[in-house]
Amino acid sequence: MPVIFAMTAVGLSARAQQPTGKLWTLDECIVYAENNNIALKNLRLRKQVVEQDLVQSKAMMLPDLYAGAGYDLSHYTKTSNQGSKAINTSGSLGLNSQMTLYNGGVLKNNIRRQNLNLEMAGLDIEVENNNLFLDIIGAYTNILLARETILYMESLLETSKTQTDQARLQFNAGAISRKQLIQFESQLANDQFALTNAGNASRSNKIVLKQLLQLPAEDSFDIAPGTLDVPLRLLPPLNEFLSDARNTRPEIRNSRLFIQGAELDIKIAKAGYLPSVSAGAGISTGMRNSINKGTFTQLGNNFYQNLGITVSFPLFSRKLNETNMARTKIARQQAELSLVNTNTLLSQAVEQAYINYQNAMAEYLAAERQFTNYEEVYKISTEELRLGAANITEFVQQRNLYVQALQSFTQSRFRAILAYKILNFYAGRLNNQNNSGR
């Protein structure tokens, strides 16, 4: 491993001993987002609504039961008694129940439809959770990249300070020219500027992750110390990733459920052409004060029971059934097209992720070789400069090449890590990887 990354490990270890506030691991970020993200909370509430719809659709199979009671007052004038007035009272009590015996399978299909809706609501949560996870892992990786950039820039800055101090002593002793001293000072200023930029990038990346977690603005935030290893392993063929993605991704399962739901809607629409049968039963009683009998006697004499069956035949529905059938068939075609489109988009995403990882790994391996070479040349140039065997111009050129190679190597390393995670994320394999970070 190059020297700079040994220094990185030491720096990370040193920082680990000086935590200020809570330091978030990747696991903690993901769990917190899953429990507190507002979009996910809304989707969970929506799922609860669908659960209640399912409860209601099952209850529709049962008979209903309603109780009723009434009490009336009526006022009239007795013409036979010189206009004296009278008040009559009456009351009634009753129980009624009705139950659907047959309606073309609408009730059963509604239950199946609500079960599908419930499953789709769960998959919507999974889709949103996956998208959030992908955003978090990208932001977290960017923070690690910025942190590592700061560490090697701090190391380079320390080296520049030492070389500039030595150059000032040499200038004061007349060993080098003013021009050479200015070159050292310019290099020091460039390193200070680069370190400032790296610090700015780190703060910006932390804000991005903090906003993804939807933490309050006044809360301090930083991630736990650590690093990620580049997954140097042979990839399975692209077809295996495509197959895994099609079998595991919630978007595909959701699209398939949409088709099943559209087919159930067609069955429900067909029931509009069929007769419906329902049964009803009721009991009732009543009393009136105008009848010269006691209240309980009237309630007993007026006690009625009824039981009946109603059959309804749809003869003309003003095109309601025809338009319902047409709409449900169109919806099924749309669901089938949606599945094709989802498959296409997923295949393209997986293929792009596969290529991105291959490209990132090729860049990483090339950058590693380049960095190793320039690191060796830089060490030689540093020693030659110390011994006076090389001029400052040649040294600055070699140093700039070394810094560029170091930056390219660091960036390509994290690009390879992120590309690997994204590829396995699409294929549903991320949780099974040792270096997944979860």
Side-chain angles (χ1 to χ4, degrees):
M1 175 176 288
V3 174
I4 191 67
F5 288 101
M7 296 167 55
T8 298
V10 173
L12 288 173
S13 177
R15 291 192 176 194
Q17 299 171 4
Q18 301 174 356
T20 56
K22 177 176 176 56
L23 300 179
W24 293 72
T25 65
L26 180 56
D27 273 338
E28 290 172 336
C29 289
I30 293 168
V31 171
Y32 182 88
E34 289 173 346
N35 294 330
N36 296 278
N37 182 265
I38 293 176
L40 282 173
K41 285 184 175 181
N42 281 328
L43 288 174
R44 292 189 185 105
L45 290 175
R46 178 178 172 272
K47 184 180 178 182
Q48 292 178 24
V49 172
V50 177
E51 288 173 348
Q52 296 306 310
D53 292 339
L54 176 59
V55 171
Q56 185 179 16
S57 66
K58 291 179 178 179
M60 293 299 292
M61 300 286 292
L62 305 174
D64 60 17
L65 180 63
Y66 290 90
Y71 188 77
D72 296 323
L73 294 173
S74 59
H75 176 267
Y76 66 97
T77 301
K78 287 186 176 182
T79 57
S80 61
N81 195 15
Q82 298 179 350
S84 62
K85 297 179 171 57
I87 296 176
N88 278 348
T89 61
S90 63
S92 62
L93 298 170
L95 284 175
N96 291 283
S97 178
Q98 191 169 3
M99 178 179 182
T100 301
L101 300 179
Y102 175 77
N103 64 348
V106 171
L107 296 180
K108 291 182 178 179
N109 285 326
N110 272 333
I111 294 174
R112 297 189 185 103
R113 188 66 168 94
Q114 293 303 328
N115 274 313
L116 287 180
N117 290 343
L118 182 60
E119 190 173 352
M120 286 188 287
L123 290 173
D124 287 339
I125 295 174
E126 192 174 337
V127 169
E128 181 66 24
N129 193 62
N130 283 345
N131 292 336
L132 182 61
F133 171 75
L134 196 59
D135 291 339
I136 287 174
I137 199 171
Y140 200 94
T141 304
N142 286 336
I143 294 175
L144 289 176
L145 170 60
R147 175 177 287 178
E148 196 152 306
T149 301
I150 290 174
L151 288 174
Y152 76 67
M153 287 308 307
E154 288 174 343
S155 175
L156 289 172
L157 181 61
E158 288 299 320
T159 302
S160 293
K161 287 179 179 178
T162 301
Q163 292 172 341
T164 302
D165 290 342
Q166 292 173 347
R168 288 196 184 101
L169 293 175
Q170 291 175 326
F171 173 73
N172 293 332
I176 62 173
S177 66
R178 175 66 179 167
K179 177 182 177 182
Q180 290 174 310
L181 175 61
I182 292 175
Q183 286 178 309
F184 277 107
E185 291 175 341
S186 298
Q187 185 61 58
L188 176 61
N190 288 338
D191 289 344
Q192 289 172 332
F193 181 75
L195 179 59
T196 300
N197 282 342
N200 292 339
S202 177
R203 285 187 289 272
S204 297
N205 291 330
K206 288 176 185 177
I207 290 175
V208 170
L209 181 54
K210 185 178 179 181
Q211 290 174 344
L212 285 172
L213 299 179
Q214 297 177 340
L215 293 171
E218 60 272 15
D219 287 6
S220 61
F221 178 81
D222 202 355
I223 66 171
T227 187
L228 299 172
D229 296 327
V230 179
L232 295 173
R233 56 186 62 148
L234 186 64
L235 281 183
L238 174 60
N239 286 339
E240 289 189 21
F241 282 96
L242 290 171
S243 177
D244 289 344
R246 289 168 183 152
N247 291 329
T248 60
R249 293 296 294 179
E251 298 93 329
I252 299 294
R253 288 181 282 156
N254 219 345
S255 294
R256 290 170 181 158
L257 291 179
F258 267 111
I259 295 176
Q260 295 179 33
E263 291 172 348
L264 284 174
D265 289 340
I266 291 176
K267 293 180 180 179
I268 293 172
K270 285 181 179 179
Y273 293 102
L274 302 175
S276 61
V277 182
S278 60
I283 56 175
S284 63
T285 187
M287 53 75 61
R288 295 175 64 90
N289 72 338
S290 59
I291 298 176
N292 192 20
K293 289 183 179 180
T295 298
F296 290 103
T297 300
Q298 290 186 62
L299 292 176
N301 292 340
N302 297 331
F303 184 64
Y304 296 95
Q305 309 89 38
N306 69 284
L307 177 66
I309 293 179
T310 302
V311 181
S312 176
F313 296 90
L315 300 178
F316 179 66
S317 63
R318 292 176 294 184
K319 296 293 183 180
L320 179 63
N321 292 328
E322 288 84 350
T323 53
N324 283 342
M325 279 296 300
R327 289 192 184 98
T328 53
K329 288 181 179 180
I330 293 171
R332 181 176 62 183
Q333 291 176 339
Q334 290 174 325
E336 290 170 348
L337 289 175
S338 177
L339 176 59
V340 173
N341 185 58
T342 303
N343 258 315
T344 301
L345 293 177
L346 179 61
S347 298
Q348 291 172 348
V350 172
E351 183 178 16
Q352 187 62 57
Y354 193 86
I355 293 172
N356 287 347
Y357 174 69
Q358 289 180 320
N359 293 343
M361 283 303 303
E363 290 177 4
Y364 165 73
L365 295 174
E368 184 180 37
R369 291 191 296 270
Q370 182 187 54
F371 172 72
T372 301
N373 292 333
Y374 278 117
E375 183 184 37
E376 184 65 26
V377 174
Y378 173 63
K379 290 178 181 178
I380 295 172
S381 298
T382 301
E383 184 64 18
E384 289 177 342
L385 180 67
R386 187 182 67 83
L387 297 174
N391 59 52
I392 182 60
T393 301
E394 293 175 346
F395 170 77
V396 169
Q397 289 176 345
Q398 292 300 327
R399 188 181 188 279
N400 289 340
L401 291 173
Y402 163 74
V403 172
Q404 292 172 7
L406 175 57
Q407 292 173 336
S408 297
F409 174 63
T410 304
Q411 292 170 359
S412 65
R413 176 172 175 263
F414 279 93
R415 277 197 297 267
I417 293 170
L418 185 58
Y420 180 79
K421 289 181 177 296
I422 292 174
L423 175 60
N424 283 277
F425 164 81
Y426 277 118
R429 299 182 175 191
L430 193 56
N431 292 338
N432 297 324
Q433 301 301 324
N434 293 331
N435 295 320
S436 66
R438 291 202 68 178

